[in-house]
């Protein structure tokens, strides 16, 4: 991306700034999405353990 912007001699500074801002926004969105995915995975593990315990208690009856 930076190479393409560098090829445009007239709008080099603006293009570079826009590409940089878009890249930073992409990194922030990716980090937030990863955080949510990790939280969902942890909650899924907790739920799975509770279901397993309930099934074990039902099998003992």
């Amino acid at each position: 991306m930076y190479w393409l912007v560098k090829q445009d001699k007239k709008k080099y500074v603006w293009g570079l700034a826009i590409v940089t801002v878009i890249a930073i926004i992409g990194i922030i969105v990716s980090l937030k999405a990863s955080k949510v995915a990790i939280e969902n995975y942890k909650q899924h593990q907790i739920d799975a353990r509770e279901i397993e315990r309930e099934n074990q208690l039902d099998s003992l009856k």
Side-chain angles (χ1 to χ4, degrees):
M1 293 286 292
Y2 284 107
W3 179 82
L4 288 173
V5 172
K6 204 172 185 181
Q7 300 307 311
D8 186 11
K9 300 296 180 188
K10 294 178 183 177
K11 298 178 183 176
Y12 174 69
V13 174
W14 282 107
L16 191 59
I18 290 171
V19 169
T20 302
V21 168
I22 291 171
I24 291 170
I25 290 171
I27 290 169
I28 291 170
V29 169
S30 176
L31 289 174
K32 287 189 179 194
S34 296
K35 183 178 177 183
V36 169
I38 290 170
E39 289 173 0
N40 287 343
Y41 177 72
K42 287 179 181 179
Q43 185 60 45
H44 174 71
Q45 285 181 322
I46 292 169
D47 294 343
R49 282 188 216 119
E50 289 176 358
I51 290 170
E52 187 176 331
R53 276 191 220 118
E54 289 174 3
N55 289 340
Q56 286 176 350
L57 290 176
D58 288 343
S59 66
L60 293 175
K61 289 181 180 180

